[in-house]
Amino acid sequence: MGSAEDGRLQLKVQDLNARYAQAIDDNKLEAWPDFFTEDGRYRVTTAENVERGLPLGMIYASSRAMLRDRVRSLRDANVYEAQRYRHVIGPPLIAHSEGAAVHAQTSFIVARVMHTGETTLFATGRYQDHVVLDGDKALFAEKIVVLDSRLIDTLLAIPL
Amino acid sequence: MGSAEDGRLQLKVQDLNARYAQAIDDNKLEAWPDFFTEDGRYRVTTAENVERGLPLGMIYASSRAMLRDRVRSLRDANVYEAQRYRHVIGPPLIAHSEGAAVHAQTSFIVARVMHTGETTLFATGRYQDHVVLDGDKALFAEKIVVLDSRLIDTLLAIPL
Amino acid sequence: MGSAEDGRLQLKVQDLNARYAQAIDDNKLEAWPDFFTEDGRYRVTTAENVERGLPLGMIYASSRAMLRDRVRSLRDANVYEAQRYRHVIGPPLIAHSEGAAVHAQTSFIVARVMHTGETTLFATGRYQDHVVLDGDKALFAEKIVVLDSRLIDTLLAIPL
């Protein structure tokens, strides 16, 4: 794989994650499932669990339909409205790519802004993404969110 | 617009914002107005105001000359010297482009470092930029800084 | 130097720093020296010292062998295991390039996650890198870490 091709893949994955984060930060949760393939998997786990080889127990969804259900629950529970999030993502690292499938890792940091205006560093970690490309389009076949901190109770409510 | 062209525009906008942030973080405020066109607009507002459709009330400047005045005031007031800022910006999202005009959105996070060394998460938000390209040169025709937090009183003093 | 070449260099430097940060964040310290040339220099200093023209007093290493020694010390002291780091880096700014040598500056922000899960904003600053390219490979001939804060006592233990 040539260098220009590397650059092209990096930009594709970067753009996908940037749009993904923008949808969450802009509170456009209904668009969230559309970043995944029909049977796309979304998981949240911790670095500690990954290192211990523990099964990734916190599976949020294994299809776009399940993500849609999740968004509806969030809207019904009304938990999402009282705060804002701001993701800043780093450049993606392409682990390997094969045809239309790209495996990449991206560092992220998320700030939470409460309704009062108080801003805190909320979560840090890395995305381990399996991205499939179809022409100009890119979708997550799998997105694993690996959190650096083990304190994730309050994270369960929101998409990361 | 082809994919290579997309990539080129992304890099242009990214580079412009990176140099812009560097000038502020390096305390080279006198260079700040030069990132704008002669009649470039610079505004700071909050996400809440944008969503409510409130007029963007906190207009800082509608020309490079006004930005220069602003820098002089900051220098005279000597408020800027006691602290440092560090912007980290994410990848730009090209909303649309037409000829030499590009509309893009970029997430940012700003840390403030006090003279004592104390470091805090100071501001988060997004840039909504209207960039004009002239050959290799890129300038802001408009830069709207949309802050996530409504607590912006203390922000008024510094460029973001 | 053309625009496509600029973009190519930016991606090279960005990718190098992303992999460098990933190695530290993934606790793969043994890989850290391999990002430098055989006689690569690694220094940590503060913005204040740089501005005052003070000699860069905190030289960590002037060769890959010294970095390896440093990693061994960190492992022996066992200080590194109790916490995690998360770097998020911005886009690189290419200051100038000459043949295979590139000088670039990159903003970074580092969060520290304690074993308890507590997450804090740990360090901010910029990398001033002298990168040498050899085909597809990129290495640091010099990496100067310029910290925004003067409070760096506790930083001395870990690679930044």
Side-chain angles (χ1 to χ4, degrees):
Chain A
M1 186 173 60
S3 182
E5 177 65 6
D6 278 357
R8 197 185 66 88
L9 288 180
Q10 271 187 324
L11 282 176
K12 285 267 184 201
V13 174
Q14 177 177 289
D15 193 61
L16 177 62
N17 269 313
R19 286 184 292 113
Y20 173 93
Q22 181 187 38
I24 297 171
D25 293 349
D26 285 357
N27 194 10
K28 288 174 183 157
L29 294 191
E30 283 69 19
W32 181 46
D34 297 332
F35 290 100
F36 291 81
T37 60
E38 197 58 48
D39 56 352
R41 292 179 299 284
Y42 170 77
R43 307 179 184 194
V44 179
T45 187
T46 64
E48 200 176 300
N49 279 356
V50 170
E51 282 156 23
R52 287 182 179 176
L54 294 180
L56 305 177
M58 289 161 283
I59 302 177
Y60 276 99
S62 56
S63 73
R64 209 189 272 163
M66 286 176 72
L67 291 171
R68 288 217 178 89
D69 280 350
R70 180 151 189 82
V71 170
R72 268 190 293 271
S73 303
L74 285 168
R75 290 300 190 203
D76 287 346
N78 216 25
V79 292
Y80 199 76
E81 321 311 316
Q83 57 227 6
R84 286 174 190 287
Y85 295 89
R86 178 60 54 189
H87 291 65
V88 177
I89 60 173
L93 283 166
I94 307 298
H96 60 101
S97 63
E98 231 188 286
V102 185
H103 292 259
Q105 183 169 312
T106 302
S107 285
F108 67 82
I109 202 165
V110 183
R112 178 163 64 172
V113 184
M114 303 309 288
H115 189 63
T116 56
E118 192 203 354
T119 302
T120 51
L121 184 54
F122 181 59
T124 68
R126 63 182 192 264
Y127 292 136
Q128 292 181 186
D129 296 326
H130 174 188
V131 174
V132 288
L133 304 174
D134 181 11
D136 261 4
K137 218 176 167 184
L139 294 172
F140 295 115
E142 183 174 63
K143 184 172 198 70
I144 305 180
V145 182
V146 183
L147 297 168
D148 293 321
S149 172
R150 54 158 74 185
L151 297 177
I152 60 159
D153 297 348
T154 53
L155 296 182
L156 298 182
I158 65 135
L160 279 170
Chain B
M1 186 173 60
S3 182
E5 178 65 4
D6 278 358
R8 198 185 65 88
L9 287 181
Q10 271 187 324
L11 282 176
K12 285 269 183 199
V13 174
Q14 177 176 290
D15 193 60
L16 177 62
N17 269 314
R19 286 185 291 113
Y20 173 93
Q22 181 186 37
I24 297 172
D25 293 349
D26 286 355
N27 194 9
K28 288 175 182 156
L29 294 191
E30 283 70 19
W32 181 48
D34 297 331
F35 290 99
F36 292 81
T37 60
E38 197 58 49
D39 57 351
R41 294 179 300 282
Y42 170 77
R43 308 180 185 193
V44 179
T45 186
T46 65
E48 198 176 302
N49 279 356
V50 170
E51 282 156 24
R52 286 184 181 177
L54 294 180
L56 304 176
M58 289 160 283
I59 301 177
Y60 276 99
S62 57
S63 73
R64 208 189 271 164
M66 286 177 72
L67 291 172
R68 290 217 177 87
D69 280 349
R70 180 150 189 83
V71 170
R72 270 190 291 272
S73 303
L74 285 169
R75 290 300 191 202
D76 288 346
N78 215 26
V79 291
Y80 199 76
E81 320 310 317
Q83 58 227 5
R84 286 174 190 287
Y85 295 89
R86 177 61 54 189
H87 291 65
V88 177
I89 60 174
L93 283 166
I94 307 298
H96 60 101
S97 63
E98 233 188 284
V102 185
H103 292 259
Q105 183 171 311
T106 303
S107 286
F108 67 83
I109 203 164
V110 183
R112 178 164 63 171
V113 183
M114 303 309 288
H115 189 62
T116 56
E118 193 202 354
T119 302
T120 52
L121 184 54
F122 181 60
T124 68
R126 62 181 193 264
Y127 293 136
Q128 290 182 187
D129 297 325
H130 174 187
V131 174
V132 289
L133 305 174
D134 181 10
D136 261 4
K137 218 175 166 184
L139 293 171
F140 295 114
E142 182 173 64
K143 185 173 197 69
I144 306 180
V145 182
V146 183
L147 297 167
D148 293 321
S149 171
R150 53 157 75 183
L151 295 178
I152 60 157
D153 298 348
T154 54
L155 296 181
L156 298 181
I158 64 135
L160 278 170
Chain C
M1 186 172 60
S3 183
E5 178 66 4
D6 277 358
R8 197 185 66 88
L9 288 181
Q10 271 187 324
L11 282 176
K12 286 268 184 200
V13 173
Q14 176 176 290
D15 192 62
L16 177 62
N17 269 314
R19 287 185 291 115
Y20 173 93
Q22 182 188 38
I24 297 171
D25 293 350
D26 285 356
N27 194 10
K28 289 176 182 155
L29 294 190
E30 283 68 20
W32 181 47
D34 297 332
F35 290 100
F36 291 82
T37 60
E38 197 58 47
D39 57 350
R41 292 180 300 284
Y42 171 76
R43 308 180 185 193
V44 179
T45 186
T46 65
E48 199 176 301
N49 279 357
V50 169
E51 281 156 24
R52 287 184 180 175
L54 294 180
L56 304 177
M58 289 161 284
I59 301 177
Y60 276 98
S62 58
S63 74
R64 207 190 273 163
M66 286 176 72
L67 290 172
R68 290 216 178 89
D69 280 349
R70 180 150 189 82
V71 171
R72 269 189 292 273
S73 303
L74 285 169
R75 290 301 190 201
D76 288 346
N78 216 25
V79 291
Y80 199 76
E81 320 311 316
Q83 58 226 5
R84 286 175 188 287
Y85 295 90
R86 177 61 54 189
H87 290 65
V88 177
I89 60 173
L93 284 166
I94 306 298
H96 59 99
S97 63
E98 233 189 285
V102 185
H103 292 259
Q105 183 170 312
T106 303
S107 286
F108 67 83
I109 202 165
V110 183
R112 178 163 65 172
V113 183
M114 303 309 287
H115 189 61
T116 56
E118 193 203 353
T119 302
T120 51
L121 184 54
F122 181 60
T124 68
R126 63 182 192 265
Y127 293 137
Q128 291 181 187
D129 296 326
H130 174 188
V131 174
V132 289
L133 305 173
D134 180 10
D136 261 4
K137 219 176 165 184
L139 293 172
F140 295 114
E142 182 174 64
K143 185 173 197 69
I144 305 179
V145 182
V146 183
L147 297 167
D148 292 321
S149 171
R150 53 157 75 183
L151 296 178
I152 59 157
D153 298 347
T154 53
L155 296 182
L156 298 182
I158 65 134
L160 278 170

